[in-house]
Amino acid sequence: MTPSAPDLQALVAHPGANSLGWHDAAFPNRTLYLHAARPRRYTPHTPLLFVHHGVGRNGAAYRDYWLPLAEENDLLAVAIEFPEAGFPDYLRYHFGNMHNEDGTLNPREQWTYGIVPRLFDALRAAGVTQRERYGMFGHSAGGQFVHRTLSFGYRDRVAVAVAANAGTYAMPDLEVAWPFGLVRPRSRRTHWRKC
């Protein structure tokens, strides 16, 4: 059974900290938690920043860190929490669910990198934002998530991105194998071309 969609307006219900559970269409039975830092002067035109936590899966703590920064800079920061129960280990979170333990490539529609643009569309549909583009900030494992999101084709509406203190990087090198480079195995060449 697919959970009912929450009212995303709850993320901006009042200034300061707001949170709710949300389900992405590609992962309907896996709850993500959205933790928003809303400035007092928020409007739907306020710049939007998606914040990505590290391996601690502590989205609320990342949101709390951004509370004074969101207020000072008049931006809406939304920390997306990927609970370990639904997105276990590095393959499902910061390696984007691109492949399974045996190396089998998952369909692009199941890559977790697609969650951010879909969430952005949902926030626009709910009237939370009227922005055309958004920013991304990631620290540690979140830094890996952010830079791989951009590297593998989910960048069309990203205005700015910061990938801080990542433990590993997918370098823009077609001679180095994934996940540390962008080499494309022959069996996957057609799929990678879409990135």
Side-chain angles (χ1 to χ4, degrees):
M1 182 170 90
T2 303
S4 60
D7 179 6
L8 290 171
Q9 281 287 333
L11 286 175
V12 292
H14 56 78
N18 298 284
S19 295
L20 59 81
W22 182 73
H23 295 89
D24 178 68
F27 303 95
N29 298 314
R30 300 182 197 183
T31 304
L32 293 152
Y33 295 99
L34 309 179
H35 304 284
R38 195 209 103 166
R40 283 191 304 266
R41 292 179 297 274
Y42 156 82
T43 74
H45 298 286
T46 299
L48 174 62
L49 176 71
F50 290 115
V51 176
H52 299 276
H53 57 67
V55 295
R57 312 297 180 109
N58 52 342
Y62 274 72
R63 181 270 320 275
D64 292 348
Y65 175 81
W66 278 90
L67 281 168
L69 298 170
E71 189 62 48
E72 179 182 336
N73 296 287
D74 289 325
L75 62 89
L76 174 63
V78 177
I80 307 169
E81 183 174 325
F82 287 78
E84 209 158 10
F87 300 90
D89 68 46
Y90 66 97
L91 289 177
R92 308 297 168 239
Y93 175 41
H94 43 291
F95 278 25
N97 199 42
M98 290 178 71
H99 62 85
N100 296 311
E101 289 80 355
D102 64 0
T104 308
L105 189 67
N106 287 321
R108 186 174 173 84
E109 299 77 36
Q110 293 177 9
W111 294 0
T112 53
Y113 303 134
I115 289 172
V116 179
R118 289 190 294 268
L119 174 57
F120 182 60
D121 287 340
L123 292 171
R124 285 177 50 84
V128 172
T129 186
Q130 292 180 10
R131 303 292 293 197
E132 297 292 327
R133 300 175 66 164
Y134 55 88
M136 297 181 75
F137 169 85
H139 171 257
S140 190
Q144 293 188 51
F145 183 90
V146 167
H147 90 267
R148 288 188 174 97
T149 294
L150 301 178
S151 296
F152 295 103
Y154 298 91
R155 57 185 169 266
D156 294 346
R157 294 179 291 169
V158 177
V160 63
V162 175
N165 306 309
T168 65
Y169 289 90
M171 300 305 290
D173 190 332
L174 294 176
E175 302 299 317
V176 177
W178 161 261
F180 306 109
L182 302 180
V183 69
R184 298 179 285 185
R186 286 187 183 150
S187 62
R188 304 175 187 170
R189 193 170 302 274
T190 302
H191 197 94
W192 284 84
R193 203 175 289 133
K194 297 176 185 175
C195 297

